[in-house]
Amino acid sequence: MPSGPRKLDERLAMACDGLVDQLFVQRQATANLPRGLVIAITAPHSGAGVTYITEMLAERLGETAARVQASALEEGTGLPLSEDFQKSIEKMDRLNRRSEVLYELRANFHYVLVDCPSVKDGHFVTGLAPLVDGVIIVIEADRTQKRQILYTERTIQAAGGNIFGHILNKRNYPVPGWIFRRLEAMGV
């Protein structure tokens, strides 16, 4: 049986499967969207694991998903789109570029995950919030404070964004190792 980080990745992968089903597949099915679903992922502070969570979700969604760095929306480079489209958006101003890129990504992928910097590091997500279908907030266990979460939620909602949910990351399991191993041996 795997243990350590590999076992943790497997557990996170299983959790991501449930999250993918709840947040993406069911939401898109009920919304009956003719285009892709665009989700921005951010955190109240840096180091919460936004990039890791975005990668795990993109992996679980497979080829139907595009993972995009927020900076790529600004620069118009490094996007999973045609070279002709990338050349055409270079001439646009920043706001038009974001909406045009997201429109094109929606047309080419079922799911688009935008890896955004934390709200503390800048308010990129507030400019993006009204252009995406929803925002997921990554919360770091034992570090993120309630007031930070509330501030992040209010900031996104004030910008016209829709919060899809929260992901608790880096959770510790305060079970002594010997008990954990015994439970694992029992199949629990």
Side-chain angles (χ1 to χ4, degrees):
M1 239 188 207
S3 61
R6 187 169 168 205
K7 184 70 172 176
L8 180 63
D9 282 347
E10 288 176 14
R11 286 190 193 137
L12 185 56
M14 287 179 6
C16 283
D17 284 342
L19 182 68
V20 163
D21 187 52
Q22 288 290 324
L23 283 178
F24 298 101
V25 178
Q26 287 182 9
R27 190 173 295 264
Q28 190 172 29
T30 57
N32 200 15
L33 298 172
R35 55 188 171 71
L37 189 66
V38 180
I39 309 293
I41 303 173
T42 190
H45 55 79
S46 59
V50 171
T51 299
Y52 183 69
I53 293 295
T54 305
E55 287 172 357
M56 289 294 290
L57 290 172
E59 182 181 315
R60 297 324 261 183
L61 288 166
E63 293 178 9
T64 62
R67 180 180 164 269
V68 178
Q69 288 286 357
S71 58
L73 293 177
E74 294 294 309
E75 299 162 7
T77 58
L79 296 166
L81 298 170
S82 71
E83 287 182 34
D84 292 336
F85 180 77
Q86 288 189 18
K87 287 178 184 174
S88 70
I89 62 170
E90 288 173 8
K91 299 172 184 159
M92 297 178 197
D93 64 49
R94 192 173 17 176
L95 183 61
N96 284 337
R97 182 180 300 148
R98 280 185 197 167
S99 54
E100 287 297 318
V101 168
L102 290 174
Y103 181 82
E104 189 70 16
L105 287 167
R106 284 178 196 275
N108 290 302
F109 295 95
H110 291 293
Y111 309 100
V112 179
L113 305 174
V114 183
D115 183 347
C116 296
S118 72
V119 172
K120 183 179 179 186
D121 293 337
H123 290 279
F124 181 86
V125 76
T126 57
L128 194 61
L131 303 175
V132 299
D133 297 304
V135 178
I136 294 175
I137 301 170
V138 177
I139 299 166
E140 184 177 357
D142 300 327
R143 181 171 174 216
T144 307
Q145 299 173 2
K146 184 178 180 179
R147 64 180 173 77
Q148 291 172 310
I149 298 167
L150 294 173
Y151 173 78
T152 301
E153 289 173 344
R154 284 192 297 257
T155 301
I156 291 166
Q157 289 170 337
N162 180 24
I163 297 173
F164 272 8
H166 305 77
I167 295 176
L168 181 63
N169 193 26
K170 301 182 182 180
R171 179 174 174 228
N172 292 322
Y173 294 90
V175 176
W178 67 271
I179 293 175
F180 186 76
R181 285 188 297 278
R182 183 171 271 167
L183 290 170
E184 201 171 46
M186 293 170 36
V188 177

